[in-house]
Amino acid sequence: MIEQVTLQDLGVIARATLPMGPGFTAITGETGAGKTMVVTGLGLLMGARSDAGAVRAGAAQAAVEGVWVIPETGAVAERVADAGGEVEPIGEGRAELYLGRTVTAEGRSRASVGGRTAPAGVLAELAEHLVAVHGQSDQLRLRSSGAQRDALDRFGGAQITTAREAYRDAYESARRLATELTELTERREERAREAAQLRADLAELETVDPQPGEDVELAARAERLAHAEDLRLAGALAHGALSSDEDAPDVVGLLAEARRALERAAASDPVLQAHADTLEDLGYRASDLATELSGYLADLDESGPHELAAVEERRSAIGALVRTHGTLESALALREEGALRLADLDDDGDRAERLRAAADAADERMDAAASALTAARTAAAARLSDAVTEELRALALPDARVVVAVDPGAPSAAGRDDVTILLAPHPGAEPRPVARSASGGELSRVMLAIEVVIAGTDSVPTFVFDEIDAGIGGAAAIEVGRRLAVLARTSQVIVVTHLAQVAAFANNHLSVVKSSDGSVTASSVRALDGEEREAEMARLLSGLTDSSAALEHARELLSLGRTRLIG
């Protein structure tokens, strides 16, 4: 439930804090005092579209903050955690949730959920679990076909929920299979061309048989063969300098001679022996290098123009694969995976038959699930029609009759039913869609009757009504007040009203009063009790707060509200 709402610079409200609580809260005040701004503020907290026009004149921004008491665990707490916010445990499995929204004079908006900035869409998601708001001109639950269907489904309870889930599963399965079959059929020629190209590519790969890294190795080999003479000359000169078969001095011989000279002198100075050992190591390394150069030259001697031609031919074949597939690695990957893809493409015919059979079976399951859902809705519609009609009798519409019609509709994830709430306002009248046939007062009462009936099976935590009593008065208004009190037994009910007959049934009465400068400040919103409440009720009845007749009538209504609630 909503524990408290604070409004700042919203409409005519400079700053106001509204203490809420369980049960039925009535909000009254003079025309233009800003009562409807309470509903506007709650709408912002519920993710409604921001409007720069709602910012009080001269203010930089409007701000709304709300404190909810929610279960410490459950869908709301989980969504808050997903958004990065936190709830504050207050004991007995309950927690406080802080929501906020600001709107600048330029129309920019920012939302906060559990102390963290979040998209306004998160507020809208939370609203589905927290509040049902009904304004004077947007009776969405009655004007929207989808909302009327959802209202029936809520009333139907577990039976419709189970049937709807079974249908949704069958519907999604049938759509998925139909999409796969359509894609397979429409892309048959494209897949055939892909299979033909893949066969050609695999045949070429099998012929060439490339190896990992072969392109790099071939490039290096070709470079070596192309410069064989230069390499041979450099290698021969280096080999001759290191180790020569002729009488000319070479590195190996000079190192040996130097080593022997140091060894002879080492008897007089042992330090020279370490240098002699170093020269010995250098001699071995020079000899090994000369041997390696000899092998290198021998390999060059075995290479000839014919090998260079073979290498270039191989490079050409590998290059063709690289040009076709982008890289040699891609070509090798295709060789590894292409056979599986080709098998999948070649299976199109059999696969189409399997998909067609699976799609037919899925359609049959969907048809059966749709029929079961329609049957469950039809049975619930009859019960809802009777219950709402009975409720309307107590709401001063004794001759009205509500019919909840379930007709065939276009298939969707919610079923194949169009649900329409129809109203026959008097005997002999043909039932017509309630949104078109009902007056403002009738529409309000039909909506209230539906909510009272549905609340018995699927209670929304909080209902907010903005002047639900528009267009009614007298006995009808008293019955509306009674029914709101009944609804408040299972849900929190917040009502903006101008009728004393409705406000009399509230257990929490808030008054919004403009100050002399036309603004609403913190001191101008207060909870009423005792004589203050009687005076406000008298004002609602007669426009006067000190009329003895109005005060007497006010006391009578308050007594009625306390003692004559529906059992």
Side-chain angles (χ1 to χ4, degrees):
M1 70 174 181
I2 305 173
E3 191 172 46
Q4 178 177 288
V5 175
T6 300
L7 311 173
Q8 184 169 344
D9 292 326
L10 184 68
V12 298
I13 298 178
R15 181 172 178 83
T17 298
L18 291 88
M20 305 293 186
F24 179 1
T25 295
I27 301 174
T28 62
E30 297 176 353
T31 301
K35 302 186 302 297
T36 300
M37 283 296 103
V38 176
V39 178
T40 300
L42 286 172
L44 289 172
L45 289 179
M46 295 298 98
R49 186 174 181 179
S50 61
D51 179 9
V55 180
R56 193 167 69 95
Q61 69 175 25
V64 187
E65 296 178 352
V67 183
W68 263 257
V69 175
I70 64 169
E72 190 174 350
T73 60
V76 173
E78 289 175 4
R79 186 65 187 93
V80 171
D82 289 343
E86 297 180 348
V87 299
E88 296 186 10
I90 56 176
E92 300 180 353
R94 301 181 305 157
E96 285 186 335
L97 168 62
Y98 290 81
L99 301 179
R101 185 85 178 273
T102 59
V103 180
T104 68
E106 292 76 29
R108 293 189 299 273
S109 169
R110 194 173 82 173
S112 64
V113 174
R116 293 291 299 273
T117 299
V122 177
L123 294 178
E125 292 177 30
L126 293 173
E128 296 179 5
H129 302 281
L130 295 174
V131 178
V133 179
H134 298 279
Q136 291 172 277
S137 59
D138 59 343
Q139 310 283 4
L140 296 182
R141 289 178 185 264
L142 296 184
R143 295 183 184 276
S144 164
S145 175
Q148 292 178 30
R149 182 191 59 228
D150 291 342
L152 174 61
D153 289 354
R154 286 172 54 214
F155 175 77
Q159 185 176 6
I160 289 183
T161 298
T162 301
R164 185 165 173 166
E165 290 176 352
Y167 170 81
R168 185 183 295 111
D169 290 342
Y171 174 81
E172 291 176 353
S173 177
R175 285 196 63 184
R176 176 178 54 79
L177 290 168
T179 299
E180 289 183 24
L181 182 59
T182 299
E183 181 181 352
L184 183 65
T185 302
E186 292 179 349
R187 296 185 58 205
R188 181 169 295 172
E189 292 185 3
E190 178 184 343
R191 290 167 65 88
R193 288 193 298 271
E194 182 185 352
Q197 182 62 53
L198 186 53
R199 260 187 214 91
D201 290 341
L202 291 174
E204 183 182 17
L205 286 167
E206 184 177 358
T207 300
V208 177
D209 190 25
Q211 301 302 312
E214 187 177 2
D215 53 344
V216 176
E217 295 174 3
L218 287 171
R221 183 68 176 168
E223 181 71 13
R224 178 184 177 191
L225 292 172
H227 298 85
E229 290 303 318
D230 293 339
L231 296 175
R232 186 179 290 107
L233 178 59
L237 288 173
H239 182 271
L242 289 169
S243 177
S244 176
D245 295 333
E246 300 176 359
D247 293 336
D250 56 29
V251 170
V252 173
L254 291 172
L255 288 172
E257 182 179 348
R259 176 181 58 80
R260 288 191 294 272
L262 291 178
E263 287 177 341
R264 287 193 295 269
S268 301
D269 188 352
V271 173
L272 293 179
Q273 185 58 51
H275 297 314
D277 292 342
T278 300
L279 287 170
E280 183 179 20
D281 181 60
L282 290 173
Y284 288 144
R285 294 176 67 181
S287 179
D288 290 343
L289 180 56
T291 301
E292 291 176 6
L293 285 172
S294 179
Y296 177 79
L297 290 170
D299 185 52
L300 281 178
D301 289 339
E302 292 178 2
S303 302
H306 64 282
E307 184 178 355
L308 178 59
V311 168
E312 291 296 350
E313 182 178 356
R314 181 66 178 171
R315 288 188 71 195
S316 177
I318 297 295
L321 291 178
V322 171
R323 287 190 297 275
T324 299
H325 302 288
T327 64
L328 181 60
E329 289 73 16
S330 297
L332 293 170
L334 179 63
R335 183 171 64 180
E336 293 296 322
E337 303 166 2
L340 292 176
R341 176 60 176 167
L342 185 59
D344 178 63
L345 294 171
D346 287 342
D347 187 46
D348 277 3
D350 292 339
R351 185 182 175 200
E353 289 302 318
R354 293 194 300 270
L355 278 175
R356 193 170 289 108
D360 290 343
D363 285 341
E364 292 179 4
R365 289 194 300 273
M366 182 174 64
D367 289 341
S371 297
L373 179 56
T374 298
R377 281 173 171 159
T378 301
R383 299 195 305 273
L384 182 59
S385 300
D386 293 343
V388 174
T389 297
E390 183 64 27
E391 193 68 30
L392 288 177
R393 291 194 179 98
L395 287 171
L397 288 174
D399 298 322
R401 179 168 59 95
V402 165
V403 176
V404 182
V406 180
D407 299 308
S412 71
R416 297 177 175 177
D417 306 312
D418 281 338
V419 176
T420 309
I421 298 176
L422 309 172
L423 174 68
H426 51 79
E430 187 71 21
R432 297 181 57 202
V434 67
R436 295 200 301 268
S437 64
S439 65
E442 289 170 338
L443 190 63
S444 297
R445 280 177 279 176
V446 171
M447 181 271 293
L448 176 59
I450 290 173
E451 293 294 5
V452 170
V453 169
I454 293 178
T457 59
D458 180 26
S459 178
V460 173
T462 299
F463 289 95
V464 179
F465 297 101
D466 182 12
E467 299 196 15
I468 189 177
D469 46 26
I472 61 174
I478 290 175
E479 296 305 330
V480 167
R482 283 177 172 170
R483 272 352 190 232
L484 288 169
V486 171
L487 187 59
R489 293 175 180 174
T490 55
S491 302
Q492 181 186 38
V493 175
I494 300 169
V495 180
V496 175
T497 182
H498 65 281
L499 291 182
Q501 293 91 333
V502 172
F505 290 86
N507 59 283
N508 180 33
H509 190 158
L510 303 179
S511 174
V512 182
V513 182
K514 284 195 297 187
S515 62
S516 58
D517 63 359
S519 65
V520 176
T521 62
S523 62
S524 300
V525 178
R526 61 184 183 275
L528 302 180
D529 199 6
E531 293 183 357
E532 282 190 327
R533 189 177 185 191
E534 291 176 359
E536 173 64 5
M537 293 283 288
R539 186 195 65 78
L540 293 173
L541 288 166
S542 67
L544 302 173
T545 60
D546 56 356
S547 166
S548 57
L551 285 170
E552 183 62 30
H553 191 184
R555 295 186 188 103
E556 182 181 1
L557 284 175
L558 288 170
S559 176
L560 179 68
R562 288 190 294 268
T563 61
R564 296 187 59 188
L565 296 180
I566 297 175

